[in-house]
Amino acid sequence: MSAKDSLSNGAGPVYDGKEDALRPDDLSEMLAAGTKDVHEKAENTQFVKDFLRGRIRKELFKLGAVALYYTYTAMEEEIERNKDHPHFAALYFPSELHRHEALARDLEYFYGPEWQSLVSCSPATQRYVDRIHYVGREDPVLLVAHAYTRYMGDLSGGQVLKKVAQRALKLPPTGEGLEFYQFDAIDSAKAFKQLYRSRMNQLELDVPTKERLVAEAVKAFQFNMEVFEELEDLGQNFKEDVLDAGMPVHGAMGGDISKCPYYAAKMAATGGTAYACQLATAVIRHPTGQVLIATWFAALAGLAAWYLM
């Protein structure tokens, strides 16, 4: 282990902030390039788009947390099983990354102390869980792809998503119900991701194995999309309890089209600069406008995080 990524008195990973020179055949580069298309598809599922817009059904959000709980419990069971495996040991960061205990606390907040008797693993989530267990038992090197897909995504823009959900669902500012997004043992998400990528690139893997890891990461994204689609289907059966943090549409404006954000854009494009500025100021001062701006930053953060992963 190099001094650059050594552990400091057991307190956690240390990284000097300098990027190694990356090559196209580095695992982190191959994974980023190989999952780019499917990653974009996952970001464009309706569930994710609604989340970024601040349109969140509370019951659906809770079911999403349930799916995450079963997914991370399976993944972290297999990580524990394979923590000494030569192709995974360097990526073993339980105190920094593991999420299932935080998710259990979130579910207790939403469902109460008897939450375990009130939740179950959905069919789409079960298929994801079964694949993780199969990989952990039969082909442990592929765990790298699942850990990369989940943990690096969690560290990319997670705090912004936490704020969107916190405001849209009117959750306590102290963080209850959203502990999944909080990585208390990581001081700098950017530095930790650099360390994690460096460790991945140092794994002694041949090119065919790296290609299998890319294919497995694509499968992981596909499993996530299946869960998103299942949640969206379930949402059709819920009453309309959407806590809409976005901007109002025409029907909610009392016939005053000047309140429409699309009208403001048109005015700005056609020379109505002063009016657009006044309207923009009003939007910024309005709570829903503030959340809309936050969700725009969330979307931008997600895109930026992808290129920094």
Side-chain angles (χ1 to χ4, degrees), residues 58 61 109-110 162 165-178 243:
K58 189 170 186 178
F61 184 83
Y109 171 81
F110 285 119
K162 174 184 176 182
Q166 193 169 56
R167 180 169 291 192
L169 298 175
K170 297 180 171 58
L171 295 172
T174 45
E176 287 91 337
L178 294 167
L243 302 177

Side-chain angles (χ1 to χ4, degrees), residues 183-203:
F183 291 83
D184 293 328
I186 295 178
D187 293 329
S188 167
K190 180 180 178 181
F192 187 88
K193 286 190 295 182
Q194 290 175 349
L195 166 63
Y196 200 89
R197 289 196 302 270
S198 176
R199 293 281 188 93
M200 287 172 57
N201 293 336
Q202 291 170 18
L203 295 175

